[in-house]
Amino acid sequence: MASQTLKEKVLQSVNKLEDDSILQGLLNYIELESDNDSIYEFDDVQLQSIEEAKQQVKEGLTQSHSDVNKEIEEWLNK
């Protein structure tokens, strides 16, 4: 698909959106991708989550991708 046609389809889809959270997500993604020189800064909540995740890895509290997928399948099939 030509870039111009693709852009037109994207714009049409965006114009139909009413969900602010989706629009905000799209804007965040576009801004992130268009500004490759910027440095992303985490807020305090994000930094705390990262530290908790690091600690979980150190303690061996992890699951494989396939195990997680199995759990999701089981949950979805209930």
Side-chain angles (χ1 to χ4, degrees), residues 3-57:
S3 287
Q4 190 60 36
T5 304
L6 189 55
K7 286 180 185 179
E8 289 170 5
K9 289 185 85 163
V10 168
L11 290 172
Q12 289 171 2
S13 296
V14 168
N15 284 330
K16 292 177 186 175
L17 284 173
E18 299 292 332
D19 188 328
D20 285 347
S21 64
I22 294 173
L23 291 168
Q24 186 63 55
L26 286 170
L27 180 60
N28 291 346
Y29 181 77
I30 290 168
E31 288 175 345
L32 181 66
E33 288 299 313
S34 63
D35 189 10
N36 292 332
D37 294 333
S38 68
I39 297 173
Y40 184 83
E41 294 186 26
F42 296 106
D43 63 31
D44 290 339
V45 173
Q46 291 169 319
L47 289 172
Q48 180 62 35
S49 294
I50 291 168
E51 289 305 315
E52 288 174 13
K54 286 180 177 179
Q55 189 61 37
Q56 288 172 340
V57 169

